[in-house]
């Protein structure tokens, strides 16, 4: 079955700094999804990437899917305390069209 | 916000007792999922449903059963709770399969 590995596991940055979170898949990605979880709450969908080389942005967050469709990166520009939380990447399980599997998450703390 | 409600939100129980968590949606979405979230493991899929009475196992289904007798409700049952099932459980729904999932607020279960 497919596995997703995220790095780093945790990240502490100063407000205003840029940062990047990576998600690497053991298999070709047919769909890659980024979610954010505020501490103690449920997950919120951020973006979906499906095509090799695709890039999407939402406010100060940009996500890319590499050409080989096995790695995605999430980049935050000029981080703010509101960006703090856990970021998880999810992907279609290649064995089933119904299942979405997740990486272990990256905990982000932004210091004011 | 998607109409998805989990109950109970918090529960403390003893080893060996049965526990049922309920997920209720008002969106009439076809797909429903139960995940558990543990430190270092991210989100792991327990069971999912692709229609009324249509369910299947996820990555960590041992010790759990589910039922979906109507579109709006997806029940997760621990027949005999164990301490290893202490976790935060999230229900999610989607209209068209994996991808953009809407998550509930989570149910924190502690098994003593």
């Amino acid at each position: 079955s497919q596995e997703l590995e995220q790095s780093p596991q945790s990240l502490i940055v100063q407000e205003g700094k840029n940062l990047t979170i990576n998600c690497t898949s053991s298999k070709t990605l047919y769909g890659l999804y980024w979610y954010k979880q505020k501490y103690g709450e449920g997950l919120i969908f951020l973006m979906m990437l499906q095509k090799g080389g695709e890039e999407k942005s939402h406010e100060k967050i940009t996500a890319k899917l590499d050409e080989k469709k096995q790695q995605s990166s999430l980049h935050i520009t000029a981080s703010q305390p509101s960006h703090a939380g856990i970021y998880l990447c999810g992907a279609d399980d290649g064995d089933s069209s119904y299942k979405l599997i997740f990486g272990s998450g990256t905990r982000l703390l932004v210091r004011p | 916000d998607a109409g998805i409600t989990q109950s109970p939100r918090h529960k403390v129980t003893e080893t060996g007792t049965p526990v049922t968590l309920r997920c209720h949606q008002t969106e009439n979405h076809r797909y429903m999922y139960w995940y558990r979230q543990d430190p270092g493991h991210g989100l792991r899929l327990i069971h999912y449903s692709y229609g009324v009475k249509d369910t299947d196992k996820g990555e960590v289904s041992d010790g759990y059963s589910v039922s979906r007798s109507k579109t709006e409700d997806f029940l997760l049952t621990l027949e005999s709770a164990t301490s290893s099932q202490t976790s935060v459980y999230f229900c999610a729904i989607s209209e068209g399969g994996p991808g953009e999932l809407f998550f509930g607020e989570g149910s924190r279960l502690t098994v003593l």
Side-chain angles (χ1 to χ4, degrees), chain B residues 19-100:
Chain B
V19 176
T20 296
L21 305 180
R22 180 185 183 226
C23 179
H24 178 78
Q25 60 146 329
T26 58
E27 305 297 318
N28 201 37
H29 284 353
R30 178 182 176 189
Y31 300 90
M32 298 186 76
Y33 305 82
W34 276 109
Y35 287 90
R36 61 177 288 175
Q37 186 174 36
D38 305 286
H41 292 280
L43 280 172
R44 293 181 291 176
L45 181 64
I46 305 171
H47 281 281
Y48 64 100
S49 170
Y50 46 96
V52 174
K53 297 186 180 179
D54 291 323
T55 65
D56 205 348
K57 297 179 180 180
E59 307 166 75
V60 290
S61 59
D62 287 348
Y64 302 95
S65 62
V66 291
S67 66
R68 191 169 179 199
S69 58
K70 44 187 178 178
T71 300
E72 57 266 35
D73 289 324
F74 193 32
L75 303 181
L76 177 70
T77 297
L78 291 66
E79 298 291 346
S80 178
T82 67
S83 58
S84 64
Q85 293 176 312
T86 292
S87 185
V88 180
Y89 292 85
F90 286 98
C91 175
I93 62 174
S94 73
E95 189 172 22
E100 186 173 357

Side-chain angles (χ1 to χ4, degrees), chain A residues 21-37:
Chain A
I21 297 168
N22 294 303
C23 176
T24 302
S25 172
S26 59
K27 296 182 180 180
T28 298
L29 292 161
Y30 294 97
L32 189 286
Y33 312 90
W34 283 101
Y35 285 79
K36 178 188 176 183
Q37 182 181 27

Side-chain angles (χ1 to χ4, degrees), chain A residues 1-2 9 33 35 37 40-48 86 88 91-93 96-105 107, chain B residues 9 30-31 33 35 37 39-45 48 50 57-59 90 96-106 108:
Chain A
S1 61
Q2 189 169 29
Q9 290 186 337
Y33 312 90
Y35 285 79
Q37 182 181 27
E41 299 181 11
L43 280 71
I44 297 172
F45 173 79
L46 293 176
M47 280 174 277
M48 175 180 72
I86 302 172
L88 296 99
D92 295 350
D93 186 324
S96 167
S97 62
Y98 302 131
K99 295 191 288 188
L100 189 65
I101 61 171
F102 286 90
S104 56
R107 289 181 172 269
Chain B
R9 294 289 314 279
R30 178 182 176 189
Y31 300 90
Y33 305 82
Y35 287 90
Q37 186 174 36
H41 292 280
L43 280 172
R44 293 181 291 176
L45 181 64
Y48 64 100
Y50 46 96
K57 297 179 180 180
E59 307 166 75
F90 286 98
E100 186 173 357
L101 304 184
F102 297 97
F103 281 82
E105 292 297 309
R108 182 175 295 274

